[in-house]
C-alpha cells in the first residue's frame, strides 16, 4: 500500500458525460501528479500540483481540468467524454519535486461507452 | 527536453536466469533515474532510484540497476529471475536541474519469466 488513495476504483459512463476522479496523497506529501495509462498511448503525464499550485503540465486535453485543494487532495475533472478517454487514471504524490520518489495510487478505471 | 527509451517491448527469461531490462535516457542536466514495476491491474510500485554517488543502486525484491553516464543508460538487473517477477517495468527520468521538471516515463517493458 503506497498510501495514495484514489476513488472511484471503477467508473462506467456514457459519451458526453462528465466525471470527477479524486486523489488523497500520502500523509505529508505536498505534490500531486496525474497520469493516464492506455494501451495505445502508454503512461502519459497530465498535470502536477504542489501545495495547491500548478507546477507542470503535460498532455492534458482542454476537456480535462484538475485542482489541488487546501487539504492537499486533488481532483481530475474529465468532461465531454469520448470513447478514447477510456483508460486507467493514476494519481501519484511526493513530498516535493526534484529527486523525491513519486508514489502511485491503484488507479481509477474509466470506461466510456 | 528529456526522454526515456526502453528499447524492448518484451523480455523473456527462464526462471533462475539473469534478467536485464534496458533503459536509456536523455536530459539536459544531471539525471534522476527511477525504476517502477506494475503488476496487472495495479498501480506502479517503486523499485529503486539513482540520484548521485555509487553507480550501482540496489533496490527492492533483489533488483539492482547500474547508472552509466557515458552510455546514458540505467539498466535494471536481477541475478536470478523468479516467475513472480513477471510484470511491466517502467524506467523514468527527471532532469536534476529542474526541480519541477516532468517525471518522464518510458513506454514500459513486459517481462515474462517462464518456469
Amino acid at each position: 500500500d503506497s498510501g495514495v488513495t484514489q476513488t472511484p476504483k471503477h467508473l462506467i459512463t456514457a459519451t458526453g458525460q462528465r466525471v470527477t476522479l479524486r486523489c488523497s496523497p500520502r500523509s505529508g506529501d505536498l505534490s500531486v501528479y496525474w497520469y493516464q495509462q492506455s494501451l495505445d498511448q502508454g503512461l502519459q503525464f497530465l498535470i502536477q500540483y504542489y501545495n495547491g499550485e500548478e507546477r507542470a503540465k503535460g498532455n492534458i486535453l482542454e476537456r480535462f481540468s484538475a485542482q489541488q485543494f487546501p487539504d492537499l487532495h486533488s481532483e481530475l475533472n474529465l468532461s465531454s467524454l469520448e470513447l478514447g478517454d477510456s483508460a486507467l487514471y493514476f494519481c501519484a504524490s511526493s513530498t516535493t519535486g526534484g529527486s523525491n520518489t513519486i508514489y502511485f495510487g491503484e488507479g481509477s478505471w474509466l470506461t466510456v461507452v | 527536453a528529456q526522454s526515456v527509451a526502453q528499447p524492448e517491448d518484451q523480455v523473456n527469461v527462464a526462471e533462475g536466469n539473469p534478467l536485464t531490462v534496458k533503459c536509456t535516457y536523455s536530459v539536459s542536466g544531471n539525471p534522476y533515474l527511477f525504476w517502477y514495476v506494475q503488476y496487472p491491474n495495479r498501480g506502479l510500485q517503486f523499485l529503486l532510484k539513482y540520484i548521485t554517488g555509487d553507480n550501482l543502486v540496489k533496490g527492492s525484491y533483489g533488483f539492482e540497476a547500474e547508472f552509466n553516464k557515458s552510455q546514458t543508460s540505467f539498466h535494471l538487473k536481477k541475478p536470478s529471475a523468479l516467475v513472480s517477477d513477471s510484470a511491466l517495468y517502467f524506467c523514468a527520468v527527471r532532469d536534476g536541474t529542474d526541480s519541477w521538471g516532468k517525471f518522464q516515463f518510458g513506454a514500459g517493458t513486459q517481462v515474462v519469466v517462464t518456469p
Side-chain angles (χ1 to χ4, degrees), chain B residues 25-108:
Chain B
Y25 66 90
S26 174
V27 294
S28 302
N30 290 324
Y32 295 150
L33 294 156
F34 302 78
W35 275 103
Y36 287 80
V37 61
Q38 184 182 25
Y39 297 99
N41 301 318
R42 301 295 302 277
L44 279 70
Q45 296 178 30
F46 168 70
L47 283 178
L48 51 79
K49 68 181 178 183
Y50 171 83
I51 303 303
T52 186
D54 194 348
N55 289 342
L56 185 63
V57 179
K58 294 188 183 296
S60 307
Y61 312 120
F63 284 94
E64 59 188 29
E66 186 166 12
F67 171 64
N68 188 317
K69 187 173 183 177
S70 63
Q71 296 186 4
T72 61
S73 67
F74 189 56
H75 300 333
L76 181 70
K77 300 180 181 182
K78 186 171 184 180
S80 178
L82 300 172
V83 172
S84 57
D85 293 327
S86 298
L88 187 58
Y89 290 79
F90 289 95
C91 181
V93 67
R94 192 175 222 169
D95 190 331
T97 60
D98 181 1
S99 294
W100 299 109
K102 294 177 187 177
F103 213 95
Q104 184 76 41
F105 283 85

Side-chain angles (χ1 to χ4, degrees), chain A residues 67-88:
Chain A
Q67 55 182 325
Q68 185 180 26
F69 294 87
D71 68 352
L72 301 177
H73 91 272
S74 179
E75 293 181 357
L76 178 66
N77 299 298
L78 315 174
S79 62
S80 302
L81 285 167
E82 302 174 358
L83 296 177
D85 298 326
S86 296
L88 184 54

Side-chain angles (χ1 to χ4, degrees), chain A residues 7-19:
Chain A
T7 57
K9 291 191 184 327
H10 300 274
L11 190 56
I12 301 175
T13 190
T15 54
Q17 295 298 305
R18 171 190 170 95
V19 299

